[in-house]
Amino acid sequence: AQKITQTQPGMFVQEKEAVTLDCTYDTSDPSYGLFWYKQPSSGEMIFLIYQGSYDQQNATEGRYSLNFQKARKSANLVISASQLGDSAMYFCAMRDGAGNTGKLIFGQGTTLQVKP
Amino acid sequence: NAGVTQTPKFRILKIGQSMTLQCTQDMNHNYMYWYRQDPGMGLKLIYYSVGAGITDKGEVPNGYNVSRSTTEDFPLRLELAAPSQTSVYFCASSYWGSGANVLTFGAGSRLTVL
């Protein structure tokens, strides 16, 4: 069965420092996609970054990068130069590859707090 | 562009009541989804649709029904509300055809069943 695991319930980081949020996944499908979403205290879900299973390079979007280690089945999110506005809950998600349904399976999330 | 619009934003129901959460998108997305998020948890898929007239169950469909009569609308019906259905409900949509198939979420609907 497909599964996403985020083992860090909460993380703290000092403003302007980098932080890594961990995500491991399990799937037997060779074609899959990995996503990170941010959920601030206001509650909306904001898409951050995507990595396809066949992508050769790690995805980057501004201050966000995805450290994709396929053999270890990990897809960690790296946020560089943390800002106070980065304080939020972060979810890792995997697209279910079977049946072309686009369904996402979510991890339990990591709460990040950025200290001034 | 409004994106994905959900109504209502908040609702309190009594046990046994029924209601419909409305979801509409104006991005011409073909795929739509309903998720629920319990406090401190990740999102779980309730139902999804890959096009008008086609719906299928997700991980937690019991107690819910959906329909998809148009591309734009994907209402979620709660029959005989129970306290276990207290949650935040998110509707999402995506266009299948692009590589990433990024889901765009609505703002959420907070439902309390007392």
Side-chain angles (χ1 to χ4, degrees):
Chain A
Q2 294 169 323
K3 190 176 179 182
I4 286 279
T5 302
Q6 295 180 254
T7 58
Q8 306 155 311
M11 292 279 288
F12 289 91
V13 65
Q14 205 67 35
E15 192 178 9
K16 299 181 185 177
E17 292 186 347
V19 63
T20 297
L21 306 183
D22 294 343
C23 174
T24 57
Y25 62 92
D26 190 19
T27 180
S28 56
D29 193 330
S31 176
Y32 53 89
L34 296 157
F35 301 76
W36 278 92
Y37 281 84
K38 172 183 178 182
Q39 187 178 44
S41 57
S42 51
E44 70 266 35
M45 295 289 289
I46 302 168
F47 166 71
L48 295 178
I49 196 166
Y50 165 79
Q51 180 85 41
S53 60
Y54 294 121
D55 293 343
Q56 295 296 313
Q57 293 189 326
N58 287 344
T60 60
E61 289 287 348
R63 294 187 298 111
Y64 304 108
S65 60
L66 200 153
N67 184 1
F68 181 45
Q69 297 189 40
K70 199 169 183 176
R72 299 177 68 177
K73 293 189 175 179
S74 73
N76 298 339
L77 177 70
V78 180
I79 305 175
S80 63
S82 297
Q83 301 172 356
L84 296 177
D86 293 334
S87 293
M89 194 148 188
Y90 290 80
F91 290 99
C92 181
M94 179 169 63
R95 181 178 63 229
D96 185 335
N100 293 335
T101 63
K103 295 183 292 182
L104 293 187
I105 303 164
F106 285 83
Q108 290 196 313
T110 295
T111 300
L112 175 67
Q113 292 192 34
V114 180
K115 294 182 174 181
Chain B
N1 265 355
V4 179
T5 303
Q6 293 181 231
T7 56
K9 285 186 168 40
F10 302 93
R11 183 72 186 269
I12 299 174
L13 280 181
K14 293 182 179 178
I15 294 172
Q17 287 185 321
S18 299
M19 74 160 298
T20 299
L21 297 176
Q22 301 291 346
C23 176
T24 187
Q25 54 92 7
D26 62 0
M27 298 174 285
N28 202 30
H29 284 172
N30 45 2
Y31 286 15
M32 296 188 75
Y33 311 85
W34 274 106
Y35 285 87
R36 61 176 284 173
Q37 183 182 24
D38 297 331
M41 304 293 285
L43 280 69
K44 293 187 177 181
L45 183 65
I46 305 171
Y47 270 96
Y48 67 98
S49 168
V50 299
I54 305 169
T55 62
D56 208 346
K57 295 177 181 178
E59 184 184 359
V60 289
N62 291 345
Y64 306 95
N65 276 300
V66 294
S67 60
R68 183 104 181 264
S69 56
T70 67
T71 300
E72 296 78 17
D73 300 308
F74 191 41
L76 177 72
R77 177 85 177 156
L78 281 74
E79 303 283 0
L80 299 175
S84 61
Q85 293 178 303
T86 294
S87 192
V88 179
Y89 291 83
F90 287 97
C91 180
S93 70
S94 68
Y95 182 74
W96 183 262
S98 62
N101 190 58
V102 175
L103 269 62
T104 300
F105 284 85
S109 298
R110 185 177 294 275
L111 176 67
T112 302
V113 182
L114 299 174

